[in-house]
Amino acid sequence: DSNDNKASFSQWNDQVEISGPGVGVKSTVPITTANPSGYATWSGTSMATPHVAGVAALVWSHHPECTNNHIREALIQSATDLGSTGCDDEFGFGIVDAQAAHAYLENNPCHAGDFLGNKSDHAFGGCAQDPDYTSPPTPAPTPFPCPTGETAVKLEILTDYWGYETSWRVLDAAGSDV
């Protein structure tokens, strides 16, 4: 929150690696008669998560020569430590700091292939996270051939309580709306 305390509604466990602001964060929302500005102040992980991702993207845009592991390490090394000293289950390594991450990479420039660290074939979350881990690419799904003449499809989507914030389109093989 604005006093650097963990919000009362915050999720925390040993998987937390880095934190972002999640209380009273300005966000874009659909423009409506009730909200013609398209902005509102919201709280929650739905605010903190994109903030951290946005900081990563901003820092990477200034340091395109870096790998995802370099950016991740910069975010971890430059985070403002909150809670218990060092990495902890409530804040991870701390709250993300865009300017400090940029400065970290200015002082510790990266070059392709120079990231030192332990290569691993697995990932952990939180303080035990291996910053050198790169997830393998997700394989493309195997196409499912429909029996001749059959066109029925059942699509079931399970959302959280905020499903109205998301929209879906179902397309045929040619990319046309179904």
Side-chain angles (χ1 to χ4, degrees), residues 44-114:
T45 54
S46 295
M47 299 294 99
T49 301
H51 188 93
V52 173
V55 168
L58 175 66
V59 172
W60 208 345
S61 74
H62 287 276
H63 300 276
E65 72 283 4
C66 295
T67 67
N68 60 319
N69 291 321
H70 289 112
I71 300 301
R72 183 178 189 180
E73 183 69 9
L75 296 181
I76 289 170
Q77 293 297 327
S78 63
T80 302
D81 191 17
L82 298 175
S84 301
T85 302
C87 191
D88 60 72
D89 289 354
E90 293 188 1
F91 296 97
F93 288 96
I95 194 163
V96 70
D97 183 330
Q99 186 173 6
H102 173 68
Y104 176 87
L105 289 171
E106 289 291 310
N107 294 321
N108 300 280
C110 45
H111 308 284
D114 74 345

Side-chain angles (χ1 to χ4, degrees), residues 2-27:
S2 60
N3 295 315
D4 290 338
N5 295 311
K6 180 178 64 67
S8 62
F9 55 80
S10 183
Q11 298 284 333
W12 60 276
N13 58 36
D14 64 356
Q15 297 295 297
V16 176
E17 184 173 343
I18 196 159
S19 300
V23 176
V25 177
K26 280 274 196 209
S27 180

